[in-house]
């Protein structure tokens, strides 16, 4: 079902495009050798180039170029063998050069596309317009002194990939799914860590509304939104604001806005600049960037398996599309699952990872980087299930003990005597004792009260401290109660 917002004049369609700024994973900045570590002391990672000293010349970082190309390949996009850096002129206190080195008319990556999966299982393809490289600016600090502002240039010159989408999204959910997919792809590639709370990935959200069948109306840009949830909320808030403006007889002005997360509304930041306001011109200190096709092919050949490919492989292994989707959201989760499943039943492994293991992560408030049990130990537990050393109930008991102790399941089984009883004689003895102690219920069962069968199973398992093989217990009970 298509998403619309109901106004006083009827339904409105929402049109969304995203400009995502993704910090390139690199040890050095785009045009200098200064470090890029997050959380360093202010102004401790600044070269003369980053500080805009006169006479300093930028030197391009090949590793950042490779990361941009890898990302473009991951987005199924055109790689431009010839691109160019331009100067984008504007004057901010935390932009010491007075301009940003960016790519305007000739980006390194052209058109591409990504496929997103929505909550109802449907998929949608979102077009990529371009990916270009540019420098990040510094950071102004206004809350450190009552009368002064401070500047931290650690971020100045850090390489950013600006990934611009086509206006293909039509709902907050689609915008959230697209952003999540971009982050997933870049994390698989290792080209951006996607840590939005650290500012290494943020989105400018372009929103407009229109009536069915209309062309595009004026859009507004909601700047620097730093979480998927806030992007979805910003879309909704800005769309509703624009609908109110149009329906009250006003006109939406093209402008840049900010999203107030506390109040759930957008507010005006500045009128939107056009490209000519920035007075772009080719950077005279940097020659055009020329790539060799063979180098691009080498990068392509070295790409890891991407989430869509991995999900398809999991489905081919017998997993449901849903399980395959869940297990591939994070590369670390997929790696964990594959270690558990190696040489074992993939479906059983998936059930344990998405079931008991995920439940333990949630209960203990831990994530896949700090799992409560190792993938190797969980795999060993599945082996003990497969060779019938453990029943399903015992395996869950051992799993909890693994979380508590960190021990291997085989050690827990031996130390606690949790090995499943498959000795038919021992099971028959336990069943005989239960039947003797409950002769009245045996009579009721034999007179037709078949629901009592579960009672006998429960009593027998209790008498055997949960160690009886369930299948054998059922088999013996059926024979003796007949």
């Amino acid at each position: 079902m298509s998403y619309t917002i109901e106004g006083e004049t009827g339904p409105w369609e929402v049109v969304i495009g995203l400009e995502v700024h993704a910090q390139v994973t690199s040890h050095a900045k785009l045009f200098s050798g200064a470090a890029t570590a997050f959380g360093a002391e202010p102004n401790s990672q600044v070269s003369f180039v980053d500080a805009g000293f006169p006479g300093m010349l930028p030197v391009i970082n090949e590793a950042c170029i490779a990361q941009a190309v890898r990302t473009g390949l991951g987005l199924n996009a055109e790689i431009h063998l010839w691109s160019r850096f331009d100067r984008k002129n504007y004057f901010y206190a935390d932009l010491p050069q007075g301009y940003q080195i960016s790519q305007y008319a000739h980006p390194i990556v052209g058109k591409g596309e990504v496929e997103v999966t929505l909550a109802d299982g449907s998929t949608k393809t979102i077009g990529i317009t371009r990916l270009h490289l540019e420098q990040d600016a510094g950071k102004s600090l206004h809350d450190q002194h009552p009368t002064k502002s401070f500047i931290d240039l650690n971020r100045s010159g850090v390489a950013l990939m600006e990934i611009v989408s086509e206006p293909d999204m039509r709902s907050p959910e689609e915008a959230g799914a697209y952003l999540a997919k971009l982050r997933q792809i870049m994390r698989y590639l290792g080209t951006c860590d996607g840590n939005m709370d650290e500012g290494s990935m943020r989105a400018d959200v372009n929103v407009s509304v229109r009536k069915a069948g209309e062309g595009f109306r004026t859009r507004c840009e909601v700047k620097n939104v730093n979480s998927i949830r806030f992007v979805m909320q910003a879309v909704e808030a800005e769309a509703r604001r624009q609908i109110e403006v149009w329906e009250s007889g006003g006109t939406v002005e093209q402008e840049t806005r900010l999203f107030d997360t506390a109040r759930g509304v957008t507010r005006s930041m500045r009128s939107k600049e056009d490209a000519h306001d920035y007075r772009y011109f080719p950077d005279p200190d940097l020659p055009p960037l020329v790539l060799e096709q063979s180098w691009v092919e080498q990068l392509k050949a070295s790409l890891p398996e991407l989430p869509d490919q991995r999900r398809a492989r999991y489905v081919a292994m017998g997993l449901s599309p849903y399980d395959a989707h869940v297990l591939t959201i994070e590369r670390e989760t997929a790696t964990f699952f594959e270690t558990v499943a190696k040489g074992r039943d993939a479906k059983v492994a998936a059930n344990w990872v998405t079931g008991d293991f995920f439940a333990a992560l949630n209960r203990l408030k831990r994530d896949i980087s700090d799992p409560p049990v190792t993938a190797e130990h969980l795999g060993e537990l599945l082996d003990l299930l497969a060779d019938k050393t453990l029943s399903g109930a015992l395996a869950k008991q051992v799993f909890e003990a693994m979380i508590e102790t960190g021990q291997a399941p085989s050690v827990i089984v031996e130390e606690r005597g949790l090995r499943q009883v498959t000795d038919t004689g021992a099971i028959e003895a336990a069943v005989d004792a239960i039947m003797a102690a409950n002769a009245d219920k045996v009579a009721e069962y034999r007179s037709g009260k078949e629901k009592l069968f579960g009672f006998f199973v429960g009593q027998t398992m209790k008498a055997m401290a949960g160690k009886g093989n369930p299948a054998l217990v059922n088999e013996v009970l059926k024979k003796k109660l007949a």
Side-chain angles (χ1 to χ4, degrees):
M1 178 180 286
S2 61
Y3 172 91
T4 57
I5 295 178
E6 197 66 28
E8 292 181 356
T9 59
W12 291 80
E13 184 181 51
V14 184
V15 180
I16 309 154
L18 294 186
E19 298 174 18
V20 176
H21 288 87
Q23 180 176 327
V24 173
T25 299
S26 166
H27 296 300
K29 297 182 180 179
L30 183 54
F31 298 117
S32 83
T36 60
F38 175 77
E41 283 293 311
N43 295 311
S44 63
Q45 300 178 161
V46 186
S47 74
F48 291 134
V49 174
D50 309 322
F53 272 46
M56 295 298 106
L57 294 175
V59 178
I60 202 159
N61 181 346
E62 182 179 335
C64 293
I65 302 301
Q67 292 288 56
V69 172
R70 286 159 57 85
T71 304
L73 292 169
L75 299 177
N76 303 306
E78 305 163 351
I79 306 300
H80 295 162
L81 299 182
W82 191 97
S83 62
R84 190 183 73 198
F85 286 98
D86 296 326
R87 289 188 180 181
K88 181 181 181 183
N89 296 275
Y90 57 101
F91 298 96
Y92 288 161
D94 48 21
L95 188 67
Q97 295 163 310
Y99 59 85
Q100 179 187 37
I101 302 178
S102 181
Q103 293 187 313
Y104 173 55
H106 302 283
I108 188 169
V109 175
K111 287 190 176 298
E113 61 182 30
V114 297
E115 184 180 272
V116 300
T117 302
L118 304 174
D120 63 0
S122 63
T123 60
K124 179 168 182 173
T125 300
I126 309 295
I128 302 291
T129 309
R130 56 190 276 146
L131 179 158
H132 64 257
L133 278 166
E134 63 185 24
Q135 297 172 301
D136 204 351
K139 183 179 180 183
S140 297
L141 306 170
H142 304 296
D143 56 355
Q144 308 293 304
H145 190 279
T147 60
K148 298 178 182 176
S149 289
F150 298 131
I151 304 293
D152 177 8
L153 293 181
N154 276 355
R155 222 170 58 186
S156 177
V158 165
L160 297 179
M161 296 179 286
E162 182 169 339
I163 304 168
V164 182
S165 81
E166 295 289 317
D168 288 343
M169 290 156 273
R170 295 291 180 270
S171 71
E173 184 198 0
E174 289 180 10
Y178 168 74
L179 192 55
K181 186 61 177 287
L182 277 191
R183 183 172 65 174
Q184 181 189 37
I185 290 171
M186 289 189 287
R187 282 180 166 172
Y188 267 70
L189 291 168
T191 56
C192 172
D193 63 25
N195 294 333
M196 299 187 77
D197 55 344
E198 295 180 359
S200 56
M201 187 173 164
R202 49 193 189 269
D204 298 342
V205 188
N206 286 283
V207 180
S208 65
V209 297
R210 66 179 177 183
K211 291 289 189 177
E214 279 189 347
F216 293 143
R217 295 197 182 196
T218 306
R219 62 184 164 84
C220 289
E221 180 184 69
V222 185
K223 195 79 176 170
N224 280 337
V225 187
N226 64 353
S227 85
I228 293 174
R229 179 166 59 94
F230 288 157
V231 164
M232 297 170 70
Q233 292 175 356
V235 167
E236 179 93 14
E238 176 57 18
R240 290 188 181 281
R241 184 193 72 83
Q242 292 184 19
I243 291 170
E244 285 185 17
V245 171
W246 289 119
E247 292 192 333
S248 64
T251 301
V252 172
E253 301 293 337
Q254 184 172 342
E255 62 180 348
T256 300
R257 301 180 67 84
L258 292 175
F259 181 54
D260 185 332
T261 57
R263 298 170 56 211
V265 298
T266 68
R267 55 185 170 82
S268 183
M269 178 183 177
R270 61 172 185 257
S271 61
K272 176 67 179 176
E273 296 87 347
D274 289 323
H276 64 261
D277 294 329
Y278 294 120
R279 294 173 293 114
Y280 283 99
F281 64 86
D283 191 297
D285 294 332
L286 287 164
L289 179 63
V290 180
L291 308 180
E292 292 182 0
Q293 184 63 42
S294 59
W295 185 68
V296 174
E297 293 301 326
Q298 285 177 21
L299 291 174
K300 188 174 184 178
S302 68
L303 292 183
E305 185 180 41
L306 291 172
D308 287 351
Q309 299 163 338
R310 186 168 288 198
R311 188 169 63 248
R313 181 163 61 83
Y314 287 1
V315 170
M317 289 163 63
L319 270 58
S320 69
Y322 176 78
D323 281 348
H325 171 69
V326 168
L327 289 167
T328 54
I329 289 175
E330 297 286 349
R331 185 176 62 175
E332 292 78 7
T333 304
T335 301
F336 185 96
F337 162 71
E338 296 208 10
T339 303
V340 175
K342 189 174 183 179
R344 304 181 178 99
D345 186 301
K347 183 61 180 168
V348 172
N351 288 343
W352 270 87
V353 172
T354 59
D356 295 76
F357 177 73
F358 278 6
L361 285 181
N362 290 333
R363 188 174 74 240
L364 301 171
K365 301 188 186 311
R366 291 163 72 165
D367 59 37
I368 195 69
S369 65
D370 179 31
V373 300
T374 67
E376 290 76 12
H377 282 176
L378 184 52
E380 189 183 327
L381 182 69
L382 302 195
D383 291 339
L384 295 175
L385 262 172
D387 68 11
K388 301 190 185 308
T389 299
L390 294 174
S391 64
L394 282 174
K396 291 181 182 296
Q397 193 175 333
V398 171
F399 180 74
E400 292 302 320
M402 289 161 61
I403 293 173
E404 292 171 10
T405 65
Q407 291 179 308
S410 56
V411 174
I412 293 169
V413 167
E414 293 306 321
E415 285 186 356
R416 304 191 184 193
L418 293 175
R419 189 176 292 276
Q420 180 176 232
V421 174
T422 55
D423 178 353
T424 306
I427 294 173
E428 286 183 342
V431 169
D432 289 342
I434 294 300
M435 290 176 65
N438 297 277
D440 54 335
K441 288 188 169 51
V442 171
E444 287 180 45
Y445 176 83
R446 285 173 173 162
S447 65
K449 200 170 181 180
E450 295 183 354
K451 289 183 178 178
L452 281 172
F453 189 79
F455 165 80
F456 290 109
V457 172
Q459 290 298 306
T460 305
M461 293 298 285
K462 184 178 179 182
M464 300 184 71
K467 299 178 189 175
N469 178 293
L472 289 176
V473 167
N474 275 268
E475 183 181 322
V476 170
L477 274 169
K478 283 179 182 173
K479 185 173 69 178
K480 287 186 175 286
L481 286 170

